[in-house]
Amino acid sequence: MKQYLKKVINGENLTVEEMKAATNYCFRDDVTESEISALLIALQAKGETADEIAGLVEVIRGKSSFHTSPIPDAIDNCGTGGDQSNSFNISTTSAFVMAGAGITVAKHGNRSISSKTGSADVLEHLGVSLSFSKEHVEEMLIENKIAFLFAPHVHEALKPFSIVRKNLGLPTIFNAIGPLTNPIELDTQLIGVYRKDLLPMIAASLKKLGRRRAVVVTGAGSMDEASLAGANDLIILENGELTPISLHPEEVGLPVYSNDSIRGGDSKENAEILMSVLKGKQGAYFDTVLLNAGLGIYTNGKAATIKDGINLARESILSGAALERLERLVDFSSKIPSEVY
């Protein structure tokens, strides 16, 4: 570990293989919390690179026991969090809309960390299990087009890092990599990042991790979701090329709303908002989901344009298909043993 620490402290970047070696060392029985802390702090002070993120993610994903059989064209739409917007659960609601449009969504998420209510909190309130086994996940992805992967459940090996991160109480490389650690072999991915300066690094990391196509977005008002408040900054990964674009809601036929109009609350309130959207209630919540789900449908390649994706998202909701995906997931959850996480 010392050789890697010295290199990072001296301002030098680690290669993918060096980062993998340093990360693997952190999983050894004889590693100390001080060594893990030193690595995380040194990387944060230097500034992480796409190679370092890719190396860390590859090791973390390799430690998970939730690798399923190949799931064609699977996507995730998890954001990094951290925008302090207190918005409702946009990506979680959008995931059911994408699934209702016929896309396979491996929804990775956690309890609340930087927001009032995380994806796990709102789904648990709705009756979705946080204890799906690998076989359950695979069955739901195939039969229902959507499953939920609760991060602490699918990444149990990360406990040494979790303890250190909690004790540090400081931002680390882990604040950026959450969405990248989904153990399912994703073909495409939509990631929201609240800091615009992180867009190129996350996009480059997705390229190194082998995504066929991906979109990374920072929403207007520094949200980690696409926003109706103004211009959104995106980087599109396609055919190995990274293309930055700007997207205003009016360009795709959607109205402008302030970010204050999509605030959420506790798990009960956010569950009610989610259900109201899936039942077709019009307004700021509904249109925000259309934008984000439409962007996800476009990212997956089912729609040729973002506007076409939005039209498919609207059809998914108004036909009842999106709500049906949630209801099936809740029904399946009621038939399996539950554990508390």
Side-chain angles (χ1 to χ4, degrees), residues 215-233:
V215 172
V216 189
V217 57
T218 296
S222 297
M223 287 191 66
D224 73 328
E225 314 275 2
S227 167
L228 296 173
N232 299 273
D233 294 290

Side-chain angles (χ1 to χ4, degrees), residues 77-83 175-177 179-180 190-203 206 215-226 232-234 292:
N77 67 330
C78 180
T80 60
D83 62 11
N175 291 74
I177 68 165
L180 299 172
L190 170 63
I191 294 182
V193 184
Y194 78 98
R195 283 173 46 193
K196 182 180 175 181
D197 61 299
L198 292 177
L199 287 174
M201 183 173 66
I202 298 298
L206 287 165
V215 172
V216 189
V217 57
T218 296
S222 297
M223 287 191 66
D224 73 328
E225 314 275 2
N232 299 273
D233 294 290
L234 289 74
N292 283 274

Side-chain angles (χ1 to χ4, degrees), residues 10-319:
N10 288 332
E12 299 177 54
N13 299 325
L14 300 181
T15 65
V16 172
E17 292 304 317
E18 287 174 332
M19 189 65 197
K20 287 169 71 173
T23 305
N24 275 315
Y25 184 89
C26 292
F27 286 101
R28 286 173 41 163
D29 290 337
D30 59 344
V31 71
T32 66
E33 289 187 15
S34 296
E35 288 175 305
I36 298 176
S37 298
L39 178 64
L40 296 182
I41 292 170
L43 286 168
Q44 174 72 11
K46 174 185 69 66
E48 301 90 344
T49 67
D51 279 347
E52 290 162 350
I53 287 177
L56 176 62
V57 167
E58 285 187 18
V59 172
I60 290 173
R61 293 186 69 252
K63 297 288 183 182
S64 175
S65 61
F66 272 71
H67 296 286
T68 64
S69 302
I71 307 291
D73 298 324
I75 189 173
D76 187 12
N77 67 330
C78 180
T80 60
D83 62 11
Q84 303 297 317
S85 67
N86 293 320
S87 62
F88 75 108
N89 297 93
I90 298 169
S91 64
T92 306
T93 312
S94 300
F96 290 104
V97 178
M98 292 160 59
I103 292 171
T104 303
V105 185
K107 186 71 181 82
H108 188 239
N110 208 336
R111 292 196 185 278
S112 173
I113 296 175
S114 57
S115 60
K116 286 186 178 180
T117 308
S119 56
D121 301 307
V122 71
L123 289 177
E124 185 178 47
H125 185 86
L126 288 165
V128 174
S129 173
L130 306 185
S131 308
F132 288 136
S133 67
K134 181 180 76 170
E135 290 74 24
H136 293 145
V137 167
E138 190 168 349
E139 182 177 348
M140 280 289 91
L141 288 176
I142 294 170
E143 296 185 5
N144 192 44
K145 292 293 186 181
I146 186 168
F148 183 64
L149 294 100
F150 181 44
H153 184 48
V154 301
H155 294 299
E156 291 182 334
L158 280 181
K159 287 179 181 177
F161 283 104
S162 300
I163 294 170
V164 169
R165 290 180 66 203
K166 184 176 181 179
N167 291 338
L168 279 176
L170 299 170
T172 70
I173 191 171
F174 278 86
N175 291 74
I177 68 165
L180 299 172
T181 61
N182 192 321
I184 304 297
E185 292 293 337
L186 300 174
D187 187 53
T188 56
Q189 190 158 8
L190 170 63
I191 294 182
V193 184
Y194 78 98
R195 283 173 46 193
K196 182 180 175 181
D197 61 299
L198 292 177
L199 287 174
M201 183 173 66
I202 298 298
S205 300
L206 287 165
K207 179 179 177 180
K208 289 179 180 293
L209 291 167
R211 300 294 185 270
R212 174 179 62 81
R213 182 170 174 160
V215 172
V216 189
V217 57
T218 296
S222 297
M223 287 191 66
D224 73 328
E225 314 275 2
S227 167
L228 296 173
N232 299 273
D233 294 290
L234 289 74
I235 294 183
I236 300 172
L237 166 63
E238 187 169 20
N239 298 323
E241 298 294 325
L242 300 177
T243 305
I245 68 167
S246 178
L247 176 70
H248 194 282
E250 291 177 338
E251 296 175 46
V252 288
L254 291 174
V256 174
Y257 288 97
S258 73
N259 287 336
D260 286 340
S261 66
I262 55 170
R263 285 184 176 272
D266 59 18
S267 58
K268 180 178 183 294
E269 184 176 352
N270 281 12
E272 291 171 349
I273 294 170
L274 183 153
M275 290 297 293
S276 74
V277 171
L278 296 190
K279 289 179 179 179
K281 183 179 179 180
Q282 307 289 308
Y285 298 124
F286 183 90
D287 288 335
T288 298
V289 168
L290 287 185
L291 178 59
N292 283 274
L295 193 54
I297 294 169
Y298 165 76
T299 301
N300 189 256
K302 190 176 178 66
T305 67
I306 296 171
K307 191 168 185 177
D308 287 343
I310 290 169
N311 290 334
L312 289 174
R314 184 180 286 107
E315 181 182 334
S316 171
I317 297 173
L318 299 182
S319 69

